[in-house]
Amino acid sequence: MNILFLGDVIGKPGRDGAAAELPALKRALKPDLIIANGENAAGGFGLTRGVAEEFFAMGIDVITTGNHWADQKEILTYIDNEDRILRPANYPSGTPGRGANLYRTASGQSVLVINVMGRVFMDALNDPFAAVEAELNACALGESADAVVVDIHAEATSEKMAMGHFCDGRASLVVGTHQHVPTADAQILPGGTAYQTDAGACADYDSVIGMDKAEPLQRFLRKISSQRYTPATGPATLCGVFVQTNAKGLAARIEPVRAGGRLSPHLPKL
Ligand SMILES: [Fe+2]
Ligand SMILES: [Fe+2]
């Protein structure tokens, strides 16, 4: 199976960049499933129904999120009825939405996608490892799922690497989001799980992690916020990872994907 995962899509520039690059990527990589993190897709903060529909229209099958999942309050009224959108699994019980779901590809294969959030330098949510363990046990790779993808939305690289090893041999891919900068550690872990600490963002990289650089810079310099953050509006680089699975659902290959904008391109070949 071929799986394409896109890091945090930031505002309209990120959505436009993804929409511009995806048709060629789909032709080149023939993905069976496309997953994108959409927590910053609506003006940099959260996700609206209209923005989610844009994702689905460009061929994205599943939207994961993170700490910004509920910044746009309208999501609270529709996430329960839209199983293609996930929020982190380790929110308190009773939180609207779901943190994991089983999806079926066009060719009939099943993919479990789990979205979970780290706790280091982030909000004190439930234990992400226990949350992932419960989902992996409920729908095991090779038994109930042909592939398993975990989006670990976290600040600390250590927590993400720990999650990779925790899932090694039990997931096809563990990939990080939230840092908005792609890491250069794409690898297959010893047990067969593909791993990259952060997928990067689909965003203008003439920015501070996707936001117009003036406000974050002056906040670092003066420690006073003068306006809200807005997405940087230059051409976006689509950043993500591409994974091919083997007969067991483990990884045969992982490669980073970068297309468009200012970052050096990297396009895997089939
Ligand atoms: Fe993000
Ligand atoms: Fe985030």
Side-chain angles (χ1 to χ4, degrees):
M1 200 183 309
N2 297 342
I3 298 169
L4 179 62
F5 183 100
L6 307 183
D8 307 37
V9 177
I10 304 193
K12 188 168 190 315
R15 288 171 0 237
D16 289 349
E21 300 297 337
L22 268 176
L25 286 176
K26 282 192 260 186
R27 284 193 297 275
L29 301 176
K30 303 193 182 344
D32 297 289
L33 194 78
I34 304 177
I35 306 164
N37 188 299
E39 71 146 10
N40 306 106
F45 298 92
L47 186 65
T48 62
R49 186 192 291 267
V51 164
E53 293 299 334
E54 252 185 70
F55 275 51
F56 300 138
M58 65 175 96
I60 292 164
D61 301 292
V62 180
I63 303 174
T64 58
T65 58
N67 53 307
H68 291 295
W69 78 274
D71 284 0
Q72 308 285 337
K73 296 306 170 203
E74 68 169 76
I75 198 171
L76 298 171
T77 62
Y78 76 88
I79 193 169
D80 277 329
N81 300 316
E82 180 47 84
D83 63 8
R84 293 173 292 178
I85 301 175
L86 299 177
R87 49 95 177 137
N90 50 332
Y91 270 74
S93 63
T95 302
R98 60 191 67 70
N101 202 22
L102 190 67
Y103 301 94
R104 204 157 284 283
T105 68
S107 61
Q109 293 179 293
S110 56
V111 183
L112 172 66
V113 182
I114 305 170
N115 192 187
V116 71
M117 210 166 109
R119 296 190 293 188
V120 178
F121 310 129
M122 299 187 91
D123 281 349
L125 297 177
N126 296 335
D127 178 0
F129 294 90
V132 168
E133 180 74 32
E135 300 297 345
L136 292 176
N137 289 337
C139 185
L141 180 65
E143 294 172 21
S144 309
D146 297 310
V148 174
V149 176
V150 178
D151 173 352
I152 165 76
H153 193 83
E155 194 77 75
T157 52
S158 56
E159 195 174 21
K160 293 157 125 171
M161 292 190 84
M163 183 61 75
H165 290 297
F166 182 71
C167 298
D168 189 16
R170 303 192 288 167
S172 317
L173 167 67
V174 175
V175 62
T177 55
H178 177 74
Q179 293 177 309
H180 296 186
V181 177
T183 57
D185 60 340
Q187 60 176 307
I188 298 174
L189 299 174
T193 296
Y195 175 80
Q196 184 169 312
T197 297
D198 203 284
C202 299
D204 173 12
Y205 276 81
D206 180 14
S207 68
V208 174
I209 62 169
M211 296 296 162
D212 184 279
K213 58 198 174 191
E215 175 63 15
L217 192 56
Q218 79 86 28
R219 285 194 201 180
F220 279 113
L221 294 173
R222 298 186 186 84
K223 296 292 175 193
I224 298 167
S225 60
S226 63
Q227 60 182 63
R228 57 171 291 163
Y229 292 133
T230 56
T233 55
T237 303
L238 174 152
C239 288
V241 298
F242 174 66
V243 171
Q244 287 186 302
T245 61
N246 61 23
K248 291 180 173 171
L250 292 168
R253 173 184 179 194
I254 176 170
E255 281 199 53
V257 179
R258 297 185 300 273
R262 338 173 39 85
L263 297 194
S264 63
H266 185 88
L267 299 173
K269 286 192 175 66
L270 269 191

